[in-house]
Amino acid sequence: MRETFLNCLVERANVDSRIVLVSADMGYSVLEPFMEQFPDRFFNVGISEQNAVSVAAGMALNGKVVYVYSIIPFVTMRCFEQIRVDVAYMNTNVRLVGVGAGYSYGPAGATHHAIEDIAIMRALPNMTVCCPGDPLEARALVTQSFDHKGPMYLRLGKTREPVLHAADTPITLGKAAQVRQGKDIALLTTSTMLEQGCALSDYWGQKGVSIAVYSYHTVKPLDVALIQFLIQEGYKIITLEEHSIIGGLGSAVAEVIAESNRPVPFKRIGIPDCFTHHVGSQASLRKLYHLDSFDLEFQ
Amino acid sequence: MTNQAIATDIRRSILHMMHASKSSHIGSCFSLIEILVALYFNSLNIDPNEPQKWDRDTVILSKAHASAALYATLAHRGFFPCSYLERYYIDGGLLPGHLDKTCVPGIETSGGSLGHGLSLGIGMAMAHRLDQNSGKIFVILGDGECNEGSVWEAIMLASTLKLATVTAIVDYNKIQSFGRTNEIINQTNIAQRWESFGWEVYEANGHSIPELIGFFDKPQQGPKVIIAHTVKGKGVSFMEDNLAWHYKSPNDAQLAQALKELE
């Protein structure tokens, strides 16, 4: 996804002089094509994320559309108050581009895991939160970010994610995209869990349980209309995310369901409220925390 | 009208604002008045009738708790009517205690959290460089604010990029919110610190408008900083160099006495 992001950015930067890329010393072997083609619009500001975000906001105040690139914890949490004041409060055209959703950096350890970012970013007024689930969504959302007014957070996976949508699927910011049809259960995934969601739908489909899969590639603004439709149609609803069970997609969907005055069978699947001390790959951590399977028992 | 008379008028306005709203930071405002007069009434390329003029000079008040000083300066400079100042820090008001760039014309950045302004200014200067815009950027920092690590991240970047359109001004009034600046975090060698990070450094009497103008207008090869030696609460004897006036607002008697001193 990070390659998709960068290719898309380079294409646009060729025809749009507002596009600027800022790195806090991250992006080795990823950002070079932009650096080489637009040396005057690429800034490595050094290992200083607070400064990076405020500098980006300063450029945005003077008309630029600024992409700040780093690993998720460093581009969201290290500089959160700079994001709050200089990006969200001042409503600047800064795009925070974080790589390494969930356990993408599995064996690197918990400092590099991104498990609370959706929660904190969606709490900020003015912030749009995009969590693409495949390269096609990433391309569409990056493309829609160029002329978007106000700040945006782009939560990317890492690299070599499979394409899950048909090539001509329209992807619209703020509108969930359906990937599998189904009539019993609606599985709402976000970010890196789209592939897993499709696999689970296929698995249960063979057992006669029909599961629709939707990709919530935009968590804020949330596609509330779809949830209301699913409630109306009597679907059981499951959310699936590689993020803490607190504050992410599951919480956002729960808020809508709780205020619907309808008894909706509902289940959240996400990372439990803990830092992991287990050393392992993304796949092994997903397995450890049961993100790769679910039973059909609803509370 | 002389610069000194303008400064006195601005101080009077601030006294009324603080008295009416019973709000804090009058000391932080008063140390900075000559800096603002030197900028807004002398050095800056600005037009109150066209606040968004493309090639304007930009002031960022990073110590945004001194917002009242900026509001009063902008009002006296004609950015908006002086009557707006009556709507500072009151229920249903217009002007918040810390800067909100949407509230009136002339406020370039919102603020209130320290350690943001210099980075914002550097970003603005970087955009100007790309656009070949000659507008200069002036960032006013508090001396206590320089405790923030992000200030030093910004200092390092500005000199690396040799940003010759950036001027920082440190309002070195030597008191921060809990005591003497140099007793809390010692920065008695503040000028050498900036210099060692690659900035052009000048020390000035922060209450001498001609001296400040001289340094603001001085040509520069890279980023420059004016360490402006100031007195917190300057202009009113009982407020000068007194920590209590970081917080207090004048009561009726104190207002009368202060206004008398400013006559």
Side-chain angles (χ1 to χ4, degrees), chain A:
Chain A
M1 266 190 229
R2 58 189 188 189
E3 291 80 10
T4 305
F5 156 72
L6 197 83
N7 293 339
C8 210
L9 197 70
V10 166
E11 285 167 26
R12 178 67 176 216
N14 270 309
V15 294
D16 187 345
S17 64
R18 300 172 306 152
I19 303 291
V20 170
L21 179 59
V22 172
S23 163
D25 208 34
M26 283 284 172
Y28 177 76
S29 83
V30 178
L31 303 184
E32 285 82 352
F34 191 101
M35 277 170 66
E36 286 156 14
Q37 288 187 54
F38 312 103
D40 57 337
R41 283 190 273 156
F42 172 78
F43 298 98
N44 180 353
V45 300
I47 307 165
S48 63
E49 293 80 5
Q50 299 175 67
N51 185 43
V53 167
S54 299
V55 161
M59 285 196 274
L61 284 168
N62 278 357
K64 303 302 172 193
V65 180
V66 189
Y67 291 77
V68 184
Y69 178 94
S70 192
I71 295 177
I72 291 171
F74 312 135
V75 77
T76 60
M77 297 166 202
R78 178 59 178 256
C79 44
F80 186 68
E81 204 247 5
Q82 276 77 10
I83 295 171
R84 177 174 184 260
V85 176
D86 302 332
V87 177
Y89 182 33
M90 285 203 271
N91 205 20
T92 46
N93 287 328
V94 173
R95 284 83 180 92
L96 303 155
V97 182
V99 288
Y103 291 133
S104 298
Y105 286 96
T111 54
H112 283 53
H113 298 162
I115 62 173
E116 318 92 338
D117 53 312
I118 296 175
I120 62 169
M121 298 307 284
R122 83 181 181 94
L124 289 171
N126 293 335
M127 186 63 72
T128 293
V129 179
C130 289
C131 309
D134 82 341
L136 193 133
E137 290 185 351
R139 171 164 280 277
L141 294 168
V142 171
T143 301
Q144 287 167 64
S145 75
F146 298 137
D147 291 314
H148 180 81
K149 297 269 179 276
M152 203 182 231
Y153 170 50
L154 282 164
R155 181 193 217 235
L156 303 181
K158 208 171 157 190
T159 191
R160 289 190 288 276
E161 291 87 354
V163 174
L164 298 163
H165 287 284
D168 56 350
T169 310
I171 302 294
T172 307
L173 193 144
K175 199 164 168 16
Q178 186 160 16
V179 201
R180 292 284 189 277
Q181 305 285 331
K183 57 184 172 44
D184 301 326
I185 294 173
L187 178 61
L188 314 184
T189 75
T190 192
S191 182
T192 41
M193 292 311 279
L194 179 57
E195 184 186 11
Q196 184 73 65
C198 292
L200 288 168
S201 172
D202 296 345
Y203 170 83
W204 283 103
Q206 286 166 7
K207 294 183 180 297
V209 182
S210 173
I211 301 181
V213 178
Y214 294 89
S215 176
Y216 266 76
H217 51 69
T218 310
V219 177
K220 188 185 179 186
L222 190 72
D223 186 349
V224 173
L226 174 64
I227 301 166
Q228 287 165 340
F229 168 79
L230 295 170
I231 294 170
Q232 199 72 36
E233 295 295 309
Y235 277 89
K236 297 173 177 171
I237 298 176
I238 299 175
T239 58
L240 176 62
E241 61 196 312
E242 196 171 10
H243 181 277
S244 168
I245 206 71
I246 297 174
L249 177 69
S251 296
V253 173
E255 289 159 13
V256 177
I257 292 174
E259 289 181 337
S260 71
N261 294 318
R262 297 282 290 270
V264 182
F266 175 60
K267 191 181 180 78
R268 293 172 301 152
I269 301 171
I271 297 169
D273 180 24
C274 70
F275 292 108
T276 191
H277 297 281
H278 180 89
V279 181
S281 65
Q282 184 173 28
S284 75
L285 291 171
R286 283 182 178 183
K287 194 171 177 56
L288 180 69
Y289 294 110
H290 310 294
L291 301 184
D292 62 342
S293 62
F294 56 85
D295 60 45
L296 299 176
E297 297 297 314
F298 284 86
Q299 299 299 318

Side-chain angles (χ1 to χ4, degrees), chain B residues 82-147:
Chain B
C82 282
S83 61
Y84 285 15
L85 301 178
E86 293 162 20
R87 300 177 63 195
Y88 168 73
Y89 212 114
I90 57 165
D91 195 17
L94 177 68
L95 307 172
H98 295 86
L99 297 172
D100 176 349
K101 72 189 285 287
T102 67
C103 70
V104 277
I107 311 284
E108 298 279 3
T109 57
S110 302
S113 174
L114 298 172
H116 290 233
L118 191 55
S119 298
L120 287 168
I122 289 167
M124 288 179 172
M126 288 157 69
H128 273 357
R129 183 182 270 182
L130 289 172
D131 295 337
Q132 295 175 311
N133 183 328
S134 59
K136 295 180 192 163
I137 313 288
F138 294 86
V139 183
I140 304 169
L141 301 110
D143 51 359
E145 179 176 10
C146 294
N147 295 173

